[in-house]
Amino acid sequence: MGKKTILSGIQATGNLTLGNYLGAIQNWVKMQDEYDCYYMIADLHSLTVRNDPEVLRKRAMQVLAIYVASGLDPEKNTIFLQSQVDAHVKLNWILNCYTYMGELNRMTQFKDKSAKHADNINSGLFTYPVLMASDILVYNADLVPVGEDQRQHLEITRDIAERFNAIYGQTFVIPEAFIGEQGARIMGLQDPTAKMSKSATNLNDVIFLNDSPEDIRKKLKKAVTDSENCVRYDKENKPGVSNLMTIYGLIEGKSMDEVEKEFEGKGYGDFKNKTAEVVVKKLQPLQEKYYDLLENPEKLKEIYESGAKKAQKKANKIVNEVYQKVGLIINS
Ligand code: TYM
């Protein structure tokens, strides 16, 4: 049997965070040998909010550079820009016609995002999950490695795929979400009850992947904890400390029990310093590669161009099959 297929992506809106890395990219890197992987930069999804065009192009290249700097090998993985593979938007239109308003109305991210962008609640924001479903189904992906916040989008993707299959016969693979046990939801450093987000207004809440070591240390020093001064995992009552433990544990490859033992009898000062050191140690080599790649736009272009070619090949096959099934005439 051939390798199973994976697809995932990150929007090109804002700087990537430690949440994106620990919730998504770090898992992708581990999967690259075992699976046939498609990793895209979701630049079309980024259009649901207003962007400066030049900034959007720059961000797309930054996300690509982060992928590669994080260890995704462009030879092993198909790395591409969503907007360069037309099949996504072709399937998107079709799937729009098989998705109900009521289903989209239930999406919590739509509700959150509409509250955040009350002056621009466009229909792209509303149908965002259908484009995401198209991204996944157009490769017949078996697995979709994402953070917890994308779970609902995976569920609607499965529903759409099952609906289509029920009408037209087996067409789409029903994809599974791959959500890590730890790190599926890295929380804010200042508000550990909300997820760490690219669009946070309080910059101390977020560690960006391109933060300097000084900023990382400063932000972790300021991270909200509690008054117990005991490194113990208790998400409910100690959300701040539990979040830092998750970060530490994921980077060091340690369970929460092991982290507790390691810091037994030590206070938060020690724990925060040690956490800052492992984050800096993890991000420094990544940043070096990242800045090198950004200085080499030709190399980046080579990666996304060859990625788009490979992706197109696979995606076109599935779109043609769908066109055929719904009754469109395909130009040969
Ligand atoms: P986006 O760009 O918001 O986030 C990219 C990935 O990072 C994960 N993530 C987190 N994980 C843990 N803790 C956090 N604080 C955190 N913040 C973000 C997200 O769960 C996600 O896996 N709609 C998607 C992009 C997308 C996509 C797709 C993903 C478009 N098409 C198809 C998978 C498959 C999004 O906005 O992710």
Side-chain angles (χ1 to χ4, degrees):
M1 226 177 73
K3 286 181 176 177
K4 286 196 168 179
T5 302
I6 282 194
L7 175 121
S8 200
I10 298 184
Q11 283 196 66
T13 320
N15 281 330
L16 298 202
T17 71
L18 194 60
N20 295 129
Y21 182 77
L22 295 176
I25 303 173
Q26 186 165 267
N27 291 330
W28 303 357
V29 174
K30 290 182 197 148
M31 296 171 127
Q32 62 185 342
D33 290 315
E34 218 179 308
Y35 297 90
D36 182 20
C37 300
Y38 293 78
Y39 293 123
M40 59 169 203
I41 292 111
D43 50 358
L44 293 174
H45 275 110
S46 302
L47 297 177
T48 51
V49 297
R50 296 274 178 265
N51 296 279
D52 175 315
E54 278 316 312
V55 173
L56 179 56
R57 273 189 277 270
K58 208 169 114 193
R59 294 252 189 253
M61 286 306 100
Q62 289 171 344
V63 178
L64 173 59
I66 289 279
Y67 284 4
V68 179
S70 301
L72 286 181
D73 180 347
E75 300 289 325
K76 286 188 195 156
N77 305 277
T78 305
I79 301 175
F80 63 101
L81 298 167
Q82 180 190 31
S83 59
Q84 294 192 347
V85 183
D86 301 349
H88 294 232
V89 276
K90 287 183 173 172
L91 185 61
N92 181 37
W93 173 253
I94 311 266
L95 296 185
N96 263 326
C97 303
Y98 295 84
T99 308
Y100 297 113
M101 301 280 284
E103 288 177 301
L104 292 173
N105 256 327
R106 285 199 291 275
M107 296 292 116
T108 53
Q109 276 216 347
F110 172 67
K111 290 179 200 161
D112 293 349
K113 287 189 180 172
S114 331
K116 244 190 208 161
H117 303 279
D119 57 336
N120 181 20
I121 307 177
N122 58 68
S123 51
L125 204 57
F126 188 62
T127 58
Y128 181 113
V130 189
L131 179 57
M132 185 161 157
S134 310
D135 299 333
I136 297 166
L137 300 179
V138 86
Y139 298 98
N140 264 336
D142 299 281
L143 271 186
V144 184
V146 284
E148 180 64 41
D149 61 338
Q150 299 298 321
R151 189 186 288 280
Q152 203 185 24
H153 292 157
L154 255 296
E155 276 160 17
I156 194 175
T157 300
R158 291 166 60 90
D159 290 343
I160 297 169
E162 277 168 4
R163 181 170 307 139
F164 194 96
N165 286 352
I167 304 172
Y168 297 102
Q170 181 56 40
T171 309
F172 295 123
V173 169
I174 309 300
E176 303 254 0
F178 176 92
I179 300 178
E181 230 172 89
Q182 287 292 337
R185 201 170 162 80
I186 299 295
M187 310 306 268
L189 300 180
Q190 289 299 312
D191 177 6
T193 62
K195 78 162 184 177
M196 184 181 281
S197 158
K198 287 177 216 164
S199 55
T201 41
N202 179 355
L203 296 185
N204 284 326
D205 205 43
V206 188
I207 293 179
F208 293 105
L209 296 183
N210 59 1
D211 272 346
S212 68
E214 298 76 62
D215 279 346
I216 293 171
R217 290 189 189 106
K218 236 185 333 198
K219 288 178 181 184
L220 281 165
K221 202 171 245 172
K222 283 191 190 146
V224 167
T225 48
D226 52 66
S227 54
E228 195 190 16
N229 209 27
C230 168
V231 179
R232 185 168 62 78
Y233 191 79
D234 177 349
K235 236 170 154 176
E236 208 128 290
N237 300 306
K238 293 163 71 70
V241 170
S242 302
N243 188 41
L244 296 181
M245 289 176 72
T246 303
I247 293 173
Y248 184 82
L250 277 172
I251 294 179
E252 291 293 280
K254 290 185 174 159
S255 69
M256 293 302 99
D257 274 352
E258 288 170 324
V259 179
E260 264 174 32
K261 283 213 184 82
E262 187 176 341
F263 291 97
E264 214 173 86
K266 294 193 179 128
Y268 291 159
D270 272 352
F271 173 52
K272 283 178 164 181
N273 282 338
K274 199 81 194 286
T275 303
E277 285 329 302
V278 300
V279 174
V280 167
K281 208 170 122 212
K282 183 89 199 174
L283 294 189
Q284 237 168 3
L286 190 156
Q287 291 179 356
E288 275 168 30
K289 280 191 212 139
Y290 169 73
Y291 290 116
D292 272 357
L293 280 160
L294 287 182
E295 277 178 24
N296 196 347
E298 280 306 310
K299 168 92 190 145
L300 292 174
K301 189 166 175 226
E302 226 176 88
I303 295 172
Y304 69 69
E305 280 185 351
S306 90
K309 255 191 224 146
K310 276 200 264 172
Q312 210 129 27
K313 222 173 173 182
K314 175 143 176 154
N316 281 345
K317 261 195 218 145
I318 292 166
V319 157
N320 279 344
E321 186 185 337
V322 169
Y323 268 33
Q324 181 77 31
K325 285 191 170 164
V326 298
L328 301 174
I329 297 168
I330 299 160
N331 229 345
S332 52

